[in-house]
Amino acid sequence: MARPRKFDQERVLEQAMNCFWERGYTATSMKHLEASTGLVPSSLYNGFGSKDGLFAASVEHYIDRVVRQRVAFYLQGPYLSGKNKGQDDPLAGIEAFYYDCFEGPEGRIGSGCLLINISTELGPRDKAIRKVVVSGMRLVERSLSEALTRAQQLGLLDASVDTKARAQHLGLLLNGMLVQARVSENNRWLNVAMDNVRSLLH
């Protein structure tokens, strides 16, 4: 009979996620995970099997609790904007989505995105990680396309714009920005990058 878990799994996954997000997979030791979650090794192993098991669960938690929630709030609308008198403004939603993507653990802009971080660290040699990362990217790209289409329907974006191609362009730009956030010593670049984002929204 399996031993019942004696910890809050959501809280543990949140803390482990933040640890991997900040440090990366390789640099995160079991000692780091014990410190961040407050659990002893036996509890972590009983709950998740291994560091790999906890990492996989943490990445799924990130997609569910960060990516999906962020996408739902900003891109899947309606997004109510003061700039458009409280009406649905998908373009303002996209802009706000981009800014929010740079809020990592404890609001630090340099944390980047967990999916992008692990794609550059593990993606070249780990097919399972590549699959998860691609699924997250596709979710964002589809949602960007849907938001752009909604903007067209509302008369906020020219009807001639190919929303799928524009969403792909925006997605690639976002990925590059998230890498830049990870390596930059300051955030002065963000305003310039956001000007490029806005140029694709009008």
Side-chain angles (χ1 to χ4, degrees), residues 70-184:
R70 189 177 280 160
V71 162
F73 183 79
Y74 292 108
L75 302 181
Q76 295 178 340
Y79 182 79
L80 304 181
S81 167
K83 292 192 299 184
N84 202 22
K85 299 180 180 179
Q87 302 298 311
D88 184 16
D89 190 341
L91 300 182
I94 292 174
E95 186 173 339
F97 169 78
Y98 269 69
Y99 277 115
D100 198 37
C101 283
F102 298 95
E103 290 291 327
E106 301 178 13
R108 290 192 289 275
I109 194 170
S111 299
C113 165
L114 177 60
L115 295 183
I116 298 299
N117 297 349
I118 63 174
S119 73
T120 55
E121 181 183 3
L122 303 176
R125 62 182 185 275
D126 192 320
K127 291 182 179 179
I129 289 298
R130 284 205 304 273
K131 184 177 179 179
V132 171
V133 170
V134 168
S135 71
M137 289 179 177
R138 285 178 177 167
L139 170 63
V140 171
E141 189 175 307
R142 284 196 307 271
S143 300
L144 285 168
S145 180
E146 291 167 4
L148 291 169
T149 299
R150 208 166 74 250
Q152 284 181 327
Q153 294 167 347
L154 292 167
L156 301 174
L157 182 67
D158 193 283
S160 65
V161 171
D162 182 334
T163 57
K164 288 185 179 180
R166 186 65 55 90
Q168 185 177 46
H169 191 166
L170 284 165
L172 291 170
L173 179 57
L174 177 61
N175 293 344
M177 291 169 66
L178 289 165
V179 172
Q180 180 69 27
R182 191 67 172 171
V183 300
S184 183

Side-chain angles (χ1 to χ4, degrees), residues 26-92:
T26 303
T28 298
S29 68
M30 288 303 294
K31 291 292 185 184
H32 292 133
L33 293 168
E34 291 163 29
S36 65
T37 63
L39 295 181
V40 296
S42 59
S43 294
L44 288 173
Y45 284 113
N46 286 335
F48 302 97
S50 64
K51 175 186 172 182
D52 285 350
L54 179 54
F55 177 65
S58 297
V59 172
E60 291 295 339
H61 182 80
Y62 179 83
I63 291 176
D64 287 338
R65 294 293 184 267
V66 178
V67 179
R68 291 189 191 281
Q69 288 189 12
R70 189 177 280 160
V71 162
F73 183 79
Y74 292 108
L75 302 181
Q76 295 178 340
Y79 182 79
L80 304 181
S81 167
K83 292 192 299 184
N84 202 22
K85 299 180 180 179
Q87 302 298 311
D88 184 16
D89 190 341
L91 300 182

